[in-house]
Amino acid sequence: MARLIFLPFLFFSLESCSNPKSAIQAQDVNPKEPNVSSPSPQPAAAKLKAGWSKNLKVDDVAYDIYIPQNYRNRSIVVLPGWDFPRTSWVEDSPLVKYADQYGYALILPEMLQTLYESSYYPETQLKWNKMPGGEFIKKRFIPEIQKRHNLLKQGENNTLLGLSTGGRGVALIALENPGLFVAGASLSGDFSQENTPEDRLMTAVYGSFNKFPERWKGRDNPMARVSEWKMPLYLAHGTADNIVPEEQSRLFYQALVQSQGNKIQVEYHPIKGAAHDYKFWGRQLPAVFTFFDKIIESR
């Protein structure tokens, strides 16, 4: 059964704005699945065995890895929503089906309650772990996955997939690790916390917006860093999302296009009538994998 992500402290109050130059059209909730033939297997990298490796750990953070039989030297770091276990993508969507079909390894860290923050502060009341979530991914998780599993190496076909808070994580991980990931997909993500100054989760990490606006608008704000953007990105958001407003993805898309023009491929798909749930996210997977393959094959 699909589960809703409920952010117990998160409240949004955004004004909708539009860009007349932006070519965005709402799509149906249930787009047609593309006809894609199964890819030809390629030799797996050293140390990789087909199937699941579960309950592994970097420090005290658990992770799972899935290697399909037809692994094609392509990997996805999979990020769930706020306080969802790493297994939720696998249990509540056909992610493994598409990983098998397209030949992608899945890497699933247990991130739970993190905003992918880069720092803690004296005012921080919500600490994901001893090390902030974003710093853990950059300084501990990625290097260990490279060393242990020969995955996420520089120059390889590394991608990112996240939903809701994990969609925010896609943006921040890409920004903090420039050039490492060749493509990403963010579904129902949030990218501009200064538009939600009363957000209690953000306040619990960064302190109040009124006292510390530089923290809210600085390193951990994807919208503020669009000039640094380097990674092709697939964005999708349901127009009926009552958890994270659709404007969050639309405004991020518009800012990326305004900053980068046509230099980097960025797509945005507002899905008419879709909500904040796995019914929507699961149905986006064919388009996500198609986008990833298109980017990788054009390299």
Side-chain angles (χ1 to χ4, degrees):
M1 179 181 293
R3 291 180 285 180
L4 293 178
I5 287 183
F6 176 61
L7 307 185
F9 306 107
L10 187 57
F11 299 92
F12 290 91
S13 178
L14 290 175
E15 293 184 2
S16 175
C17 61
S18 61
N19 185 340
K21 296 182 180 180
S22 178
I24 308 173
Q25 294 183 345
Q27 301 176 358
D28 293 332
V29 173
N30 192 15
K32 292 183 179 179
E33 184 172 324
N35 293 322
V36 180
S37 59
S38 297
S40 299
Q42 295 183 8
K47 302 182 181 179
L48 296 180
K49 294 183 179 180
W52 282 101
S53 297
K54 294 187 176 182
N55 300 314
L56 309 173
K57 286 190 175 182
V58 174
D59 302 334
D60 61 346
V61 179
Y63 69 96
D64 301 334
I65 285 183
Y66 177 73
I67 308 296
Q69 291 286 347
N70 64 335
Y71 172 66
R72 294 196 298 159
N73 193 30
R74 303 174 185 204
S75 302
I76 308 176
V77 176
V78 182
L79 307 173
W82 174 263
D83 207 23
F84 265 29
R86 64 188 185 276
T87 56
S88 61
W89 262 111
V90 171
E91 294 169 349
D92 298 326
S93 83
L95 179 61
V96 173
K97 168 188 171 182
Y98 290 105
D100 286 335
Q101 181 176 343
Y102 286 82
Y104 281 72
L106 303 176
I107 306 166
L108 302 98
E110 188 81 288
M111 301 309 292
L112 296 174
Q113 296 184 355
T114 180
L115 300 177
Y116 298 89
E117 58 281 333
S118 61
S119 300
Y120 292 143
Y121 304 93
E123 295 77 19
T124 300
Q125 299 176 354
L126 176 64
K127 293 186 177 181
W128 168 74
N129 208 322
K130 293 179 180 179
M131 181 179 289
E135 286 293 276
F136 170 80
I137 292 289
K138 179 178 181 178
K139 295 182 177 179
R140 294 293 300 127
F141 189 72
I142 290 173
E144 285 298 312
I145 296 300
Q146 291 171 336
K147 181 172 66 175
R148 297 179 188 182
H149 305 288
N150 205 26
L151 294 169
L152 302 184
K153 294 291 188 71
Q154 191 75 39
E156 294 187 347
N157 299 316
N158 311 313
T159 67
L160 292 161
L161 170 63
L163 61 87
S164 195
T165 305
R168 167 187 173 82
V170 166
L172 288 174
I173 292 170
L175 286 163
E176 290 295 316
N177 301 273
L180 181 60
F181 295 94
V182 302
S186 179
L187 311 179
S188 310
D190 59 293
F191 309 98
S192 51
Q193 58 263 30
E194 75 278 9
N195 289 319
T196 60
E198 303 302 321
D199 183 333
R200 296 184 183 181
L201 288 179
M202 295 289 175
T203 300
V205 173
Y206 301 107
S208 75
F209 175 76
N210 290 334
K211 291 183 178 179
F212 307 103
E214 71 282 356
R215 298 177 187 171
W216 289 59
K217 298 179 180 180
R219 179 177 174 182
D220 293 356
N221 186 312
M223 183 79 81
R225 298 178 64 181
V226 291
S227 64
E228 304 172 39
W229 196 262
K230 300 181 183 299
M231 182 184 74
L233 181 65
Y234 178 96
L235 293 163
H237 213 123
T239 62
D241 191 325
N242 62 0
I243 303 296
V244 180
E246 178 267 333
E247 290 92 337
Q248 283 280 321
S249 291
R250 174 159 46 88
L251 296 180
F252 186 51
Y253 167 76
Q254 291 172 353
L256 287 170
V257 170
Q258 183 176 5
S259 175
Q260 301 295 336
N262 296 324
K263 293 184 295 183
I264 301 170
Q265 186 164 350
V266 180
E267 295 183 10
Y268 175 47
H269 302 275
I271 308 302
K272 185 178 179 180
H276 199 85
D277 56 30
Y278 272 105
K279 180 180 179 181
F280 163 54
W281 301 319
R283 288 176 174 175
Q284 284 297 300
L285 288 175
V288 167
F289 278 88
T290 297
F291 180 81
F292 286 172
D293 259 13
K294 178 175 63 176
I295 298 299
I296 290 170
E297 290 167 4
S298 69
R299 295 178 69 204

